[in-house]
Each structure stands twice: as structure tokens, then as C-alpha cells.
Amino acid sequence: MIPDLFDSAMGAALDEARHALSSGEVPVGAVVLSPAGEVLSVGHNLREAEHDPTAHAELVALRRAGSALSDWQLSGCTLVVTLEPCTMCAGAVVLSRIARLVFGAWDPKAGAVGSLWDVVRDRRLNHRPEVFSGVREEECAQLLTDFFASRR
């Protein structure tokens, strides 16, 4: 069962994805929740705007959460993102000590939380967050489908 908190946080992540879309970025949004369930930070893709290949929504939100807490360790926090994280972002989830990862749409071409790889559950790593997948999956996937269809 997926907690209602994740559903509402995914709504905020979808709002962030729409912000990305309005500025020509791939529509991916992310939210970091505090251990108490409060929004610590939000982020959306900024790769085009910042000319930065690492400016994925997850990294933007994780950096902002670290600043908000004045700590790189985000123990007890939850990352909610509209798309399954890639290897870079999955690695950042592990390294930031996020307690829970919640995502919407699967990414069969680059996903690293079960699609192509499963970085966050690799037993060789020192931290493994709890994972909740498929939260508002259709809504998250449709944003991406529409975006890429409009580019063809």
C-alpha cells in the first residue's frame, strides 16, 4: 500500500515537471520530504537552462534539501520523483542516505531502480533505501510521452 503522503508529494513533483516542460526541459520533477513528511525542497530538470548534464530533477532537489538541512546526509528523508532515476541519480540517492525513494513512471531505457539496473538495492553498497514505484504512474508517463511526441 502506498501512503497518501506519497500521492500528494507526487502531485508536487508533477507540478515541478510541468515547470520544466514550460521552459523546454524534459518534464521530470522531484520533491524531498523531511522525516516528518514536510516538503524540504523541490526541483525539476535544469540541464538545458544551466548547461549542466548533472542538473537532473533528483540532484537539484537533493542539493536543495542538503542546503535546507545544512547536511549532506538526508537520513530519514524521502525523495519523490516522477521518473525512475538513472544510474547517476540512483547513486546520489544511495550516497545521500535517503530513507525512501518514491517514483512514478518506469524508464526502460535508462532506469536504475529495476528497469536496466537496480543500483539502490545492490547489496554491495552500504545503504539501501526503501522503494515505492508506480505512484501516479500513468500521469507521470503521459507527461513524458506527450513531450517526446511533440519533439518528433
Side-chain angles (χ1 to χ4, degrees), residues 84-100:
E84 177 186 5
C86 68
T87 54
M88 175 180 66
C89 294
V93 166
V94 171
L95 294 173
S96 67
R97 310 299 193 267
I98 284 285
R100 281 163 302 285

Side-chain angles (χ1 to χ4, degrees), residues 106-139:
W106 291 91
D107 186 353
K109 293 182 180 178
V113 186
S115 287
L116 291 179
W117 300 279
D118 201 349
V119 172
V120 300
R121 293 187 200 100
D122 191 317
R123 293 192 172 278
R124 296 169 293 182
L125 299 174
N126 65 341
H127 178 75
R128 289 177 297 280
E130 185 176 14
V131 176
F132 296 85
S133 60
V135 176
R136 297 176 72 166
E137 180 176 2
E138 290 179 21
E139 193 175 354

Side-chain angles (χ1 to χ4, degrees), residues 41-110:
S41 67
V42 298
H44 59 269
N45 276 357
L46 293 171
R47 293 186 311 166
E48 301 295 334
E50 296 186 1
H51 311 291
D52 180 356
T54 69
H56 289 202
E58 300 95 313
L59 294 184
V60 171
L62 289 172
R63 287 178 185 133
R64 291 175 179 170
S67 291
L69 293 174
S70 297
D71 197 348
W72 65 268
Q73 290 190 41
L74 303 178
S75 301
C77 294
T78 301
L79 174 64
V80 179
V81 61
T82 58
L83 180 65
E84 177 186 5
C86 68
T87 54
M88 175 180 66
C89 294
V93 166
V94 171
L95 294 173
S96 67
R97 310 299 193 267
I98 284 285
R100 281 163 302 285
L101 169 62
V102 178
F103 69 89
W106 291 91
D107 186 353
K109 293 182 180 178

